[in-house]
Amino acid sequence: MSEEAPLLVLAAGKAHHDGCPGCAQEHRLHINEGIPYKEFFFVGVTTLASSLPITFLFPFLYFMVHDLEIAKTEEDIGYYAGFLGAAYMIGRTLSSFFWGLVADRVILNTLFGLSTKFFMAFITRFLLGILNGLLAPMKAYCIEVCRSEHHALGLSIVHTAWGMGLVIGPALGGYLAQPATKYPDSFSKLSALGRFPYLLPSLAVSLFATVVLVVCIWLPETIHLHSCYKRKVTLDKATESNPNCADTTENKRLINNWPWMSATISFSIFALHDTAYGEIISLWAVSGRRYGGLSFSSEDIGNVLAVAGASLLVYQLFFYQWVDKTLGTVYSSRFAAALSTVIVATTPLMTYLSGFKLSLAIYPALMIKNILSTTIGTGLSLLQNNAVPQKQRGAANGISTTAMSFFKAVAPIGAGALFSWAQKHTDNIFISGDQVVFLVLNLILFLGVLSTFEPFLVIPAKPERLF
């Protein structure tokens, strides 16, 4: 159909173009008020595939850096672990905007598992980050396949799947890494998995990514493929009669969209904190008691993270929508951020516990922390997507994911360096090194809390329940 073809008008009063997938999607939403379960399922598994490669290495990262013989002393392991953990996000920072506009590819996990040198491991993680940009289009897509009353559920599913990946990934790494050592009856030290102790979890993530790549074939397009006539009416009236026909020059000015910019900045601060916290927790838990750690094995931390992930799934599926409707998007994010500071502040005290008392403290703490982080992320994502028109959501989410990826790239490097410094300063007179680590994490979190208040956060003018 040519651009000059006349518009069809739906009962809802919106302009409709024959042959346009975006208009066809809007028509489906007009006649079907229910939840799009099939589309949400595709969104969930695709997002899960995107998040698995990020943290599946955290439980064995400490041991892998040790085996690669790059660190001269045990105290230096955290420093190099930070760079290896950041490699993925550095790559994603360079490509998230592009993939947010175009597509996604997933590869290179297997080569990471075959790494025998630190440089090889770093490069494969970097390239994997470049080729993985699913999060941005999935955030935009989950908004476009459902009605406005289901937007919170759609983004909740994205963040649930993302959070599950950040938990299932470390669980896979914890259980499947070093199989010849953990399961000598099933795996020989002379086999490939014995010679490459970190290959098995990498293979598991790669296989799942391959399945999801096939699943993506069934994802229908939602973008509008037509041009809009310029009419001699005000921008507000044009937008009201046809939201897809807003002035294109205005649409391009994302940098001047302060509601979107403020939500993106806040989201990036929390991304910095969450990534640093995730790496610190894994390194701190497996480090020795003499360094203020818990002396956990990779299986121990895998167990904790798996249980935390299960609680996250239950919360997102059954409770988040109620929290969002009761408190509002802004207040729920703000309250979750404030409560997170208490969890972070009390975490280093767990080093004085052991046995059942330690389990009674660390399991609920990580469960609650994951739930709070997901509440914050989902709320800020809602604000971001509410602040831009449909035509801009792919680009807007691509840019925000680029910003988030930059901070997530900085976080492991800074966290690793800080953790390495802390292990060398455990006997400070006033405050020990491990307590300094969690103090810095809380300072970043405090900045995040401030960013949820006016004038730092500008609320988009949308009919969603924001307060």
Side-chain angles (χ1 to χ4, degrees):
M1 182 176 180
S2 67
E3 293 180 2
E4 289 75 19
L7 301 179
L8 299 177
V9 181
L10 297 175
K14 293 185 177 180
H16 178 81
H17 296 73
D18 259 346
C20 172
C23 290
Q25 175 62 28
E26 287 189 354
H27 179 62
R28 286 193 293 269
L29 294 180
H30 174 67
I31 62 177
N32 183 11
E33 299 182 359
I35 298 173
Y37 291 104
K38 182 181 71 173
E39 287 81 0
F40 279 175
F41 171 76
F42 288 149
V43 165
V45 296
T46 306
T47 306
L48 179 59
S50 180
S51 64
L52 281 177
I54 296 178
T55 56
F56 82 98
L57 76 163
F58 278 0
F60 60 81
L61 184 58
Y62 191 92
F63 306 103
M64 186 177 190
V65 172
H66 178 271
D67 292 347
L68 293 176
E69 299 179 348
I70 186 69
K72 294 181 180 179
T73 65
E74 185 177 355
E75 291 83 357
D76 292 329
I77 290 178
Y79 176 78
Y80 290 99
F83 279 96
L84 193 55
Y88 180 93
M89 286 301 170
I90 294 174
R92 202 170 76 169
T93 301
L94 300 178
S95 65
S96 285
F97 178 68
F98 175 74
W99 293 122
L101 292 175
V102 187
D104 169 70
R105 296 175 186 175
V106 180
I107 199 170
L108 293 172
N109 278 304
T110 304
L111 289 178
F112 174 76
L114 293 170
S115 299
T116 56
K117 298 293 183 182
F118 182 84
F119 180 76
M120 179 180 177
F122 182 91
I123 291 298
T124 52
R125 288 283 294 175
F126 172 78
L127 293 176
L128 178 61
I130 286 181
L131 296 175
N132 192 347
L134 282 166
L135 184 59
M138 284 301 102
K139 282 185 177 180
Y141 187 80
C142 76
I143 290 290
E144 294 165 8
V145 297
C146 65
R147 296 166 66 94
S148 60
E149 59 264 31
H150 302 311
H151 284 180
L153 176 61
L155 277 171
S156 177
I157 288 174
V158 171
H159 283 271
T160 297
W162 184 264
M164 286 179 61
L166 299 184
V167 171
I168 294 174
L172 285 175
Y175 291 124
L176 301 182
Q178 302 171 314
T181 301
K182 297 174 182 175
Y183 318 110
D185 294 336
S186 303
F187 301 94
S188 169
K189 290 187 177 182
L190 300 177
S191 65
L193 295 179
R195 290 182 288 114
F196 301 101
Y198 309 107
L199 176 60
L200 187 57
S202 302
L203 280 175
V205 174
S206 294
L207 288 174
F208 184 74
T210 303
V211 173
V212 171
L213 185 62
V214 177
V215 168
C216 286
I217 296 173
W218 284 275
L219 288 174
E221 181 59 79
T222 59
I223 195 69
H224 287 274
L225 301 179
H226 56 79
S227 298
C228 299
Y229 286 114
K230 291 185 177 180
R231 295 180 173 87
K232 294 181 180 180
V233 293
T234 64
L235 177 62
D236 289 339
K237 289 183 178 179
T239 305
E240 181 180 353
S241 63
N242 183 6
N244 302 314
C245 295
D247 184 78
T248 55
T249 58
E250 188 71 21
N251 279 347
K252 292 179 180 178
R253 297 172 185 169
L254 272 176
I255 193 68
N256 293 330
N257 186 333
W258 290 112
W260 175 78
M261 282 288 292
S262 63
T264 299
I265 292 172
S266 183
F267 192 85
S268 298
I269 294 173
F270 285 109
L272 172 68
H273 166 79
D274 288 344
T275 306
Y277 179 84
E279 176 157 331
I280 288 294
I281 281 294
S282 296
L283 294 174
W284 170 74
V286 300
S287 63
R289 291 278 183 172
R290 64 192 179 99
Y291 295 116
L294 302 180
S295 295
F296 273 14
S297 65
S298 58
E299 296 101 316
D300 293 331
I301 191 64
N303 288 334
V304 175
L305 294 175
V307 172
S311 66
L312 180 65
L313 176 62
V314 173
Y315 169 75
Q316 284 288 78
L317 292 180
F318 300 105
F319 296 103
Y320 175 75
Q321 277 194 297
W322 176 83
V323 171
D324 182 69
K325 289 179 180 179
T326 303
L327 298 178
T329 303
V330 176
Y331 283 158
S332 61
S333 299
R334 189 179 295 162
F335 176 76
L339 190 56
S340 293
T341 62
V342 179
I343 302 295
V344 174
T346 56
T347 297
L349 301 178
M350 295 181 191
T351 191
Y352 300 107
L353 304 176
S354 60
F356 178 73
K357 291 182 179 179
L358 176 58
S359 298
L360 198 60
I362 193 169
Y363 276 89
L366 289 190
M367 289 165 61
I368 295 173
K369 182 64 173 65
N370 276 350
I371 287 172
L372 296 175
S373 294
T374 303
T375 301
I376 298 167
T378 305
L380 292 175
S381 291
L382 274 170
L383 294 178
Q384 285 177 317
N385 281 278
N386 284 338
V388 294
Q390 188 265 355
K391 189 175 181 180
Q392 283 188 307
R393 282 185 184 135
N397 280 288
I399 294 172
S400 66
T401 302
T402 298
M404 178 188 70
S405 297
F406 171 77
F407 282 96
K408 286 195 171 189
V410 172
I413 297 175
L418 181 61
F419 184 80
S420 181
W421 174 88
Q423 290 200 319
K424 297 175 182 177
H425 296 81
T426 56
D427 298 325
N428 286 352
I429 297 177
F430 297 106
I431 183 172
S432 63
D434 62 301
Q435 292 174 331
V436 171
V437 170
F438 288 97
L439 177 61
V440 172
L441 288 175
N442 240 351
L443 288 175
I444 298 172
L445 193 54
F446 179 70
L447 292 177
V449 174
L450 285 181
S451 72
T452 64
F453 287 88
E454 295 185 59
F456 306 107
L457 184 65
V458 181
I459 308 302
K462 288 286 182 178
E464 302 291 336
R465 171 71 193 280
L466 299 177
F467 293 98

